[in-house]
């Protein structure tokens, strides 16, 4: 069966520090991968998606970037965090029509 | 355009039925989904319905789709305290980038004893 992991589960970072969040998927190959951010107001915003290694599409301009160095690994990064980057970051994978979500990473920028 | 709307809160008594409603605007949606999110956790897929279906039932869950009115609902029979969570509906579009979902703002379901 397929599983999706996110690391770390929680993170507290100062403004201006770098960021690296990791998402890995097991039990499947060549999945589509997605990064979402969920702000305190609850809605989910799609940040990035990837259909293959090295292929990244950005949905909204922002302070973040994404990379897919391996088939089942998706990384969300920032060189300098802003206060507004705080939120709950969710990774998801899909093969056909359904997306399955990871447990999320809670990021607090102080 | 893409817009998915839900009411923010719903409160029901344990044992009653819950009905969570959702409206969407994209008539080209292929699938519509219901996800459940418990506090501090990721989103759990509950059920989904293909856009050419009217109804889907899965144990205590019933999904109704009115494609003409672009209205989707999730009925939970015999609601339990463990059903307390935020419920998101989402519509999908198949694009060159795979299946992209647009989520509603979520409905917080509170189950009271």
């Amino acid at each position: 069966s397929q599983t999706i992991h996110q690391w770390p589960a929680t993170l507290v970072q100062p403004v201006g520090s770098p960021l690296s969040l990791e998402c890995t998927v097991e039990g499947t190959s060549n999945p589509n991968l997605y990064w979402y951010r969920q702000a305190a107001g609850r809605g989910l915003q799609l940040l990035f998606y990837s259909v293959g290694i090295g292929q990244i599409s950005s949905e909204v301009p922002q302070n973040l970037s994404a990379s897919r160095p391996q088939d089942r690994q998706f990384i969300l990064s920032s060189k300098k965090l802003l206060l507004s980057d705080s939120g709950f970051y969710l990774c998801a994978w899909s093969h056909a029509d359904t997306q399955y979500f990871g447990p999320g990473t809670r990021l607090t920028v102080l | 355009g893409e817009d998915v709307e839900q009411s923010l809160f719903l409160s029901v008594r344990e044992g009653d039925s819950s009905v969570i409603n959702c409206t969407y605007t994209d008539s080209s949606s292929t699938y519509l989904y219901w996800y459940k999110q418990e506090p501090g956790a990721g989103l759990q897929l509950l059920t989904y319905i293909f856009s050419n279906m009217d109804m889907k039932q899965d144990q205590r869950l019933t999904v109704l789709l009115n494609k003409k009115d672009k209205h989707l609902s999730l009925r939970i029979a015999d609601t339990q305290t463990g059903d307390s969570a935020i419920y998101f509906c989402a519509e999908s579009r198949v694009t060159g980038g795979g299946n992209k979902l647009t989520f509603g703002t979520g409905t917080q379901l509170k189950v009271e004893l």
Side-chain angles (χ1 to χ4, degrees), chain A residues 22-63:
Chain A
E22 185 170 339
C23 171
T24 57
V25 181
E26 295 177 356
T28 186
S29 60
N30 197 31
N32 293 330
L33 296 172
Y34 307 83
W35 276 113
Y36 290 87
R37 176 168 56 206
Q38 186 177 29
R42 211 193 291 169
L44 277 83
Q45 179 185 38
L46 177 63
L47 302 176
F48 300 95
Y49 65 90
S50 171
V51 299
I53 295 174
Q55 300 178 64
I56 309 294
S57 296
S58 174
E59 284 294 293
V60 292
Q62 60 203 302
N63 183 43

Side-chain angles (χ1 to χ4, degrees), chain A residues 21-107:
Chain A
L21 302 182
E22 185 170 339
C23 171
T24 57
V25 181
E26 295 177 356
T28 186
S29 60
N30 197 31
N32 293 330
L33 296 172
Y34 307 83
W35 276 113
Y36 290 87
R37 176 168 56 206
Q38 186 177 29
R42 211 193 291 169
L44 277 83
Q45 179 185 38
L46 177 63
L47 302 176
F48 300 95
Y49 65 90
S50 171
V51 299
I53 295 174
Q55 300 178 64
I56 309 294
S57 296
S58 174
E59 284 294 293
V60 292
Q62 60 203 302
N63 183 43
L64 302 168
S65 62
S67 62
R68 186 170 176 175
Q70 299 180 45
D71 181 43
R72 289 168 286 180
Q73 185 185 31
F74 205 21
I75 296 173
L76 185 69
S77 304
S78 174
K79 292 182 179 178
K80 287 186 178 182
L81 282 169
L82 306 172
L83 286 174
S84 57
D85 292 324
S86 293
F88 192 47
Y89 288 83
L90 290 158
C91 181
W93 74 272
S94 76
H95 250 162
D97 303 299
T98 304
Q99 290 185 21
Y100 299 92
F101 284 80
T105 294
R106 173 76 58 192
L107 172 66

